[in-house]
Amino acid sequence: MITKYALVLVICSLETNSCMPPFNYPIQFNDSYDCMMTGYKESLTKTEELGRDNINKHKIYIKFSCEPVQTI
């Protein structure tokens, strides 16, 4: 078995104390490092897309995890 890593991003709001359904990134990664680097980059991209006003108004934050996945 080979271990790959799946990136899971979640966008949440402190204002509503809720999160959107998790988004599973469409690519699996060969190691945790590549998964984490992509997680930070995607979080930054999404933060820029949402914009300062929406982030501040809704108290939005983004969290992500790199989940190990066993493949054959």
Side-chain angles (χ1 to χ4, degrees):
M1 293 233 174
I2 298 170
T3 301
K4 298 267 189 173
Y5 292 86
L7 175 60
V8 180
L9 291 134
V10 181
I11 299 174
C12 301
S13 169
L14 287 172
E15 180 182 63
T16 61
N17 197 31
S18 64
C19 296
M20 294 176 63
F23 170 74
N24 293 310
Y25 197 74
I27 299 169
Q28 290 187 347
F29 300 90
N30 291 324
D31 61 24
S32 184
Y33 179 87
D34 287 341
C35 181
M36 286 184 61
M37 290 300 288
T38 302
Y40 284 114
K41 289 174 187 175
E42 288 298 316
S43 295
L44 179 58
T45 297
K46 185 51 74 177
T47 298
E48 290 170 340
E49 286 174 6
L50 290 167
R52 180 184 305 270
D53 291 341
N54 280 324
I55 297 288
N56 290 331
K57 180 180 179 182
H58 302 290
K59 298 177 178 67
I60 294 172
Y61 64 96
I62 300 171
K63 57 185 179 178
F64 70 89
S65 62
C66 292
E67 305 291 331
V69 177
Q70 297 295 323
T71 59
I72 298 174

